[in-house]
């Protein structure tokens, strides 16, 4: 480091700057978009007691951010607040009878690893959620869902540490207020808790297979499976996902960038009159869910590249980093996409991805 004045104060400043740089953590390996941003402080948490002790000792620090697998965040800038990386592991059966079992899982466990473990034990309920990236602790945050199933259907309870006080809190499934890509933790509870473990209630026999999603049936037919079990459903889902979604280890992305918009049924039916092929999924309370991927494709974005970023060629809902993109570039593309969908259809699409900071 070159210092012109060489005064003691200046040396001190330089030494502090060098030490700070040394303590900083590049977050590029920690987010599936593969975006470079630096965290001023990066703390790996291996168990709930360690976390609580840390919070009590450093009770004056800025509100930290909790990081799982980084598969649903967009880094817009360097982070001045501490980042707590969830490494809490462990999975065990804590209760069972002849029909069902409750499994308790450390928040830092890999979600798909958990699905495979459950399949091995013959536990059913999360096979449709195979291959979703990220951690078990993040799963209730947006109520992960895919191929006709949401974690809401099997979530039993959540244990979390309140970041402001270090207090341990238990949430029942209903306390979590799970909805489509939504929960208490994305609203009143936003940024306030570190989920340390979750409990799921899974079936041991007479599994209720969920085959309503057309692609699953087609894949089972293709492979000649007439009497599927939970492993066959998991294999079908894995195959479908691999054929549609970009692998984040090859091309940076965070899955669906936007949520599917929910609009009044009346409005959806009016749009359907203009675009008869528009997918429309009726919801309770005179509402309808539209397919954001379809809306974006109709605006001509699918497969389009703008600099280092683009809209994926097989799934328009997925924005990708071709390499070297910044969070701001991704966000600029997302903003343009949102504006053209609003202009063409009069429908707002909101991001599913969490913007950091
Ligand atoms: P992160 O990205 O690390 O964090 C996401 C948010 O949750 C952040 O706000 C973070 O602060 C918060 N958070 C994380 N862990 C905790 C914790 N322990 N306590 C408190 N807050 C926490 N999602 C689906 O629902 N369905 C899909 O089909 C699906 N497919 C995907 C496919 C691909 C290729 C990719 C890249 C993503 C996909 N996703 C999908 C999105 C993502 O995998 C999920 O949202 C996942 O649950 C995020 O987990 P994570 O550990 O990576 O969370
Ligand atoms: N569609 C298009 N063009 C596209 C993409 C989709 O026309 O480019 C149409 C499809 O033809 C279909 C409809 O949109 O008629 C729905 O498409 P798809 O079944 O692929 O699902 P999606 O609504 O695009 C949602 C989730 C995914 C989840 C899949 C499977 C959201 C925001 N996304 O995508 O979750 O894996 O269903 O259940 O709800 C994620 O959250 O990150 C994610 C990947």
């Amino acid at each position: 480091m070159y210092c012109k004045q060489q005064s003691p104060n200046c040396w001190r400043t330089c030494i502090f700057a060098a030490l700070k740089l040394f303590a900083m953590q590049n977050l590029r390996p920690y987010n599936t978009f593969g975006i470079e941003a630096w965290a001023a402080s990066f703390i790996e948490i291996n168990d709930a007691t360690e976390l609580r002790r840390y919070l009590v000792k450093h009770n004056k620090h800025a509100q930290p951010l909790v990081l799982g697998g980084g598969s649903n965040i967009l880094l817009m800038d360097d982070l001045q607040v501490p980042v707590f990386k969830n490494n809490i592991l462990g999975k065990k059966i804590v209760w069972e009878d002849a029909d069902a079992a409750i499994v308790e899982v450390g928040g830092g466990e890999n979600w798909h690893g958990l699905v495979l473990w459950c399949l091995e034990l013959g536990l059913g309920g999360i096979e449709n959620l195979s291959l979703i990236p990220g951690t078990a602790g993040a799963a209730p945050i947006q109520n992960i869902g895919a191929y006709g199933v949401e974690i809401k259907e099997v979530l039993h309870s959540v244990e979390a540490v309140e970041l402001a006080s270090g207090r341990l809190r238990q949430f029942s499934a209903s306390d979590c207020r799970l909805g489509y890509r939504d929960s208490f933790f994305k609203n009143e509870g936003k940024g306030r808790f570190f989920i340390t473990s979750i409990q799921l209630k899974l079936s041991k026999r007479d599994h209720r297979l969920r085959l309503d999603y057309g692609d699953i049936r087609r894949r089972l037919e293709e492979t000649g499976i007439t009497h599927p079990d939970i492993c066959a459903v998991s294999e079908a889902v894995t195959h479908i996902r691999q054929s549609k979604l970009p692998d984040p280890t090859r091309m940076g992305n965070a899955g669906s960038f936007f949520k599917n918009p929910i609009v009044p049924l009346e409005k959806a039916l009016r749009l359907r009159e203009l675009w008869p092929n528009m997918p429309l999924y009726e919801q309770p309370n005179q509402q309808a869910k539209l397919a954001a991927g379809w809306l974006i494709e109709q605006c001509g974005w699918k497969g389009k590249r703008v600099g280092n970023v683009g809209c994926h060629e097989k799934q328009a809902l997925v924005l990708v980093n071709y390499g070297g993109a910044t969070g701001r570039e991704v966000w600029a593309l997302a903003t343009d996409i949102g504006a053209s969908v609003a202009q063409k259809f009069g429908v707002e699409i909101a991001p599913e991805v969490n913007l950091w900071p």
Side-chain angles (χ1 to χ4, degrees):
M1 197 167 294
Y2 179 68
C3 183
K4 259 190 192 164
Q5 295 164 4
Q6 308 221 329
S7 71
N9 264 351
C10 181
W11 276 112
R12 205 169 298 134
T13 312
C14 291
I15 290 165
F16 277 132
L19 284 175
K20 202 173 161 203
L21 198 67
F22 186 67
M24 282 172 91
Q25 175 70 53
N26 184 353
L27 295 175
R28 183 141 63 125
Y30 292 98
N31 72 103
T32 60
F33 251 127
I35 283 168
E36 182 158 309
W38 292 78
S41 154
F42 187 82
I43 300 132
E44 304 209 34
I45 303 292
N46 299 304
D47 66 60
T49 317
E50 183 187 309
L51 171 63
R52 295 177 69 194
R53 217 178 286 136
Y54 184 94
L55 289 168
V56 171
K57 197 167 158 203
H58 300 84
N59 66 347
K60 294 237 164 23
H61 65 51
Q63 180 86 7
L65 286 164
V66 183
L67 178 67
S71 63
N72 211 14
I73 56 168
L74 178 64
L75 293 164
M76 300 289 285
D77 222 328
D78 292 340
L79 304 173
Q80 302 311 325
V81 298
V83 172
F84 285 177
K85 168 81 178 78
N86 187 356
N87 288 341
I88 303 176
L89 300 180
K91 15 187 204 304
K92 57 181 186 239
I93 294 179
V94 291
W95 172 91
E96 62 187 312
D97 67 8
D99 301 317
I102 295 180
V103 299
E104 187 173 286
V105 192
E109 283 285 347
N110 173 267
W111 174 263
H112 183 61
L114 169 67
V115 174
L116 296 178
W117 182 76
C118 291
L119 291 175
E120 253 172 48
L121 295 178
L123 299 175
I126 52 174
E127 54 281 0
N128 294 53
L129 304 179
S130 296
L131 216 61
I132 296 182
T135 54
I141 303 282
Q142 72 158 7
N143 179 25
I144 55 166
Y147 303 97
V149 172
E150 291 179 337
I151 195 182
K152 179 181 183 181
E153 293 164 48
V154 293
L155 188 73
H156 181 69
S157 62
V158 164
E159 187 188 83
V161 170
E162 191 176 25
L163 292 165
S165 64
R167 267 184 25 227
L168 204 56
R169 289 271 306 267
Q170 304 291 334
F171 294 87
S172 68
S174 70
D175 293 336
C176 296
R177 281 190 260 132
L178 303 180
Y180 167 65
R181 297 294 190 270
D182 199 21
S183 73
F184 163 80
F185 302 104
K186 289 196 83 172
N187 294 285
E188 302 93 308
K190 191 172 166 135
R192 288 175 47 206
F193 297 94
F194 182 123
I195 296 181
T196 46
S197 69
I198 62 169
Q199 290 193 346
L200 306 178
K201 189 169 184 187
L202 303 169
S203 56
K204 285 173 71 175
R205 61 182 188 190
D206 302 330
H207 304 301
R208 209 173 124 236
L209 295 185
R210 304 292 290 279
L211 311 175
D212 11 314
Y213 208 90
D215 286 350
I216 298 185
R217 283 197 186 284
R218 266 192 294 283
R219 174 67 187 162
L220 292 172
E221 270 168 36
E222 265 168 35
T223 46
I225 297 172
T226 48
H227 294 89
D229 59 7
I230 50 177
C231 293
V233 174
S234 170
E235 188 284 327
V237 168
T238 301
H239 176 86
I240 300 162
R241 295 184 69 95
Q242 284 170 338
S243 65
K244 273 194 194 175
L245 293 166
D247 175 353
T249 61
R250 289 158 185 260
M251 189 183 280
N253 76 91
S256 300
F257 192 90
F258 300 97
K259 292 187 271 193
N260 285 324
I262 296 179
V263 301
L265 179 60
E266 201 190 322
K267 177 171 182 164
L269 292 173
R270 262 188 276 123
L271 287 171
R272 183 54 110 41
E273 277 174 25
L274 297 171
W275 287 278
N277 297 329
M278 184 188 77
L280 183 163
Y281 313 98
E282 283 199 32
Q283 305 289 305
N285 305 323
Q286 293 290 302
Q287 305 271 86
K289 193 191 272 180
L290 306 180
W294 186 90
L295 299 172
I296 295 169
E297 185 175 344
Q298 298 308 305
C299 293
W301 287 102
K302 194 169 182 172
K304 210 174 215 182
R305 179 172 177 163
V306 183
N308 294 323
V309 296
C311 184
H312 193 244
E313 58 187 12
K314 291 190 190 155
Q315 207 343 334
L317 206 41
V318 177
L319 303 190
V320 295
N321 171 11
Y322 287 106
T326 62
R328 287 177 191 280
E329 269 178 283
V330 177
W331 185 242
L333 174 66
T335 307
D336 288 347
I337 291 175
S340 59
V341 168
Q343 195 186 20
K344 189 172 174 100
F345 297 101
V347 172
E348 302 289 331
I349 49 172
E352 174 190 298
V353 170
N354 301 278
L355 267 55
W356 277 20

